[in-house]
């Protein structure tokens, strides 16, 4: 077993290609067609490689629970519910978000290539994961994009000035492609911490950063258990009223405009499903009268990089650069999976009929 000691126990290091093989095999065993299983594995493993363990393979147990609840639908594909030229409404049918969002972005990229711009409203997708993945898909096609997402019917974040959870973690993402260079990718939850990061901390026995959570009485807490054990507290929006306001607009743009749904008394989820709606605007840079857009962007980037640095800071980083560095590191040395998460994944693999020997053969480490 390839492992390293941490302050709270052991993290298992798994080669990314082996982890991908395990995830693909697990979902094929559960009933996914090979292409679906591969797309899910592509997305989850890339999230781990990028350092976003909250949106990576640790989501597998919840996905299976959602499948067992009858919410996640295997082998579904994106369906164009309405084609209005530069505006596409896409129905996800609660299929794997890693599939239906991929297909929705493909449709939007193709239409933006024809018209210069396309707004895509994706509704009723099961968890679409790390939103940066979809912006990167657009950037790989040479497209600028920005994305508003809601986590429909799953309130986790308190409104500014409130105590009760009323809003999802509702991420925002934007990307700018650069020829021959990695794109700029800004991707963040509108909560101070992603809920999945509290799950990772909870599994590891770690605290979360200060001012991220409140307990059910409204008191600040650094303990992730306050949002994972009853009575449950809430996450806080980032930036006070500013993050709260952005989260509210993500809810409206994604949930209402797409024809999906927003979070309120009549839509609260009572099972393990995670339902996302996303409103994406995809734009071809060549549609603008901006012959030197990339040159201007590069000049601005150089200006940022030349800044005097604060004490202890080695480099001024661009949006997306921390993820690139983490991918290089984890690709070379292995992807860490904490013991609790590895046990949960192993239990899930067993639940769909995989043996411990098969798990170990694929992952290169013993089942948890």
């Amino acid at each position: 077993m390839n492992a390293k000691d941490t302050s709270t126990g052991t993290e298992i290091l798994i080669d990314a290609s082996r982890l991908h093989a395990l995830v693909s095999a697990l979902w094929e065993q559960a009933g996914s067609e090979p292409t679906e299983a591969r797309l899910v594995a592509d997305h989850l493993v890339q999230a781990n490689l990028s350092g976003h363990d909250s949106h990576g393979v640790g989501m597998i147990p919840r996905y299976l629970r959602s499948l067992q609840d009858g919410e996640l639908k295997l082998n579904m594909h994106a369906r164009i519910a309405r084609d209005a030229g530069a505006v596409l409404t896409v129905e996800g049918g609660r299929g794997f978000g890693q599939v239906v969002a991929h297909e929705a972005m493909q449709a939007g990229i193709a239409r933006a290539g024809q018209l210069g711009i396309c707004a895509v409203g994706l509704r009723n997708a099961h968890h679409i994961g790390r939103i940066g993945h979809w912006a990167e898909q657009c950037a790989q096609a040479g497209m600028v994009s920005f994305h508003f997402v809601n986590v429909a019917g799953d309130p986790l974040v308190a409104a500014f000035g409130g105590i009760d959870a009323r809003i999802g973690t509702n991420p925002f993402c934007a990307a700018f492609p650069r020829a021959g260079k990695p794109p700029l990718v800004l991707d963040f939850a509108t909560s101070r911490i992603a809920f999945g990061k509290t799950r990772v901390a909870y599994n590891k026995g770690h605290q979360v950063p200060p001012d991220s959570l409140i307990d059910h009485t409204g008191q600040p807490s650094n303990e992730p258990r306050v949002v994972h054990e009853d009575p449950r507290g809430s996450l806080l929006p980032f930036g006070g009223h500013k993050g709260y306001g952005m989260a509210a607009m993500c809810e409206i743009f994604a949930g209402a405009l797409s024809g999906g749904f927003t979070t309120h008394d009549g839509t609260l989820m009572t099972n393990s499903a995670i339902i996302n709606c996303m409103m994406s605007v995809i734009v071809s840079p060549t549609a603008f009268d901006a012959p030197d857009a990339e040159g201007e962007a590069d000049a601005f980037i150089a200006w940022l990089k030349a800044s005097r640095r604060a004490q202890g800071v080695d480099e001024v980083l661009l949006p997306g650069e921390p993820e690139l560095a983490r991918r290089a590191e984890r690709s070379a040395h292995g992807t860490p999976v904490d013991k609790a998460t590895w046990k949960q994944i192993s239990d899930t693999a067993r639940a769909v009929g995989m043996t411990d020997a098969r798990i170990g053969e694929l992952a290169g480490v013993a089942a948890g």
Side-chain angles (χ1 to χ4, degrees), residues 2 34 55 73 104 109 126-127 137 144 161 172 178 180 184 192 213 223 241 248 253 256 269 296 313 324 328 344 346:
N2 187 9
H55 289 64
K73 309 295 184 184
I109 289 165
H126 199 270
H127 190 228
Q137 181 182 347
V144 172
F172 171 80
R178 297 187 294 160
L184 304 180
R192 292 190 186 181
L213 308 175
E223 297 293 339
H241 66 284
F253 285 179
M269 305 298 296
E296 284 297 319
V313 175
L324 289 173
Q344 292 163 1
S346 298

Side-chain angles (χ1 to χ4, degrees), residues 17 19 65 79 117 128 173 177 191 223-224 258 268 287 323 346:
S17 62
L19 192 58
R65 293 196 300 271
R79 177 178 64 83
I117 188 169
I128 62 176
C173 183
S191 53
E223 297 293 339
S258 69
L268 298 180
E323 286 82 359
S346 298

Side-chain angles (χ1 to χ4, degrees), residues 80 85-90 100-122 131-148 172-177 278-288:
I80 302 297
V87 180
L88 298 175
T89 304
V90 180
V100 297
H102 175 79
E103 293 172 346
M105 292 303 96
Q106 283 184 319
I109 289 165
R111 189 60 56 86
Q114 295 170 3
L115 303 179
I117 188 169
C118 183
V120 180
L122 171 63
I131 310 307
H133 196 94
W134 313 121
E136 288 169 355
Q137 181 182 347
C138 294
Q140 286 168 2
M143 299 291 175
V144 172
S145 65
F146 51 95
H147 311 258
F148 301 88
F172 171 80
C173 183
F176 181 85
M278 176 166 67
M279 197 273 276
S280 303
V281 179
I282 304 169
V283 185
S284 171
T286 60
F288 291 97

Side-chain angles (χ1 to χ4, degrees), residues 35 63 66 117 286 318 338 347:
T35 298
Y63 288 177
S66 183
I117 188 169
T286 60
L318 302 173
D338 66 86
D347 288 345

Side-chain angles (χ1 to χ4, degrees), residues 4 7 18 58 62 100 114 148 161-162 197 211 214 222 240 291 308 311 336 347 350 356-357:
K4 66 177 181 180
S7 59
R18 284 185 170 273
R62 184 164 180 179
V100 297
Q114 295 170 3
F148 301 88
K197 293 187 187 297
D211 302 319
I214 53 175
N222 296 347
R308 292 182 296 160
Q311 185 174 1
D347 288 345
R350 295 184 190 104
D356 284 358

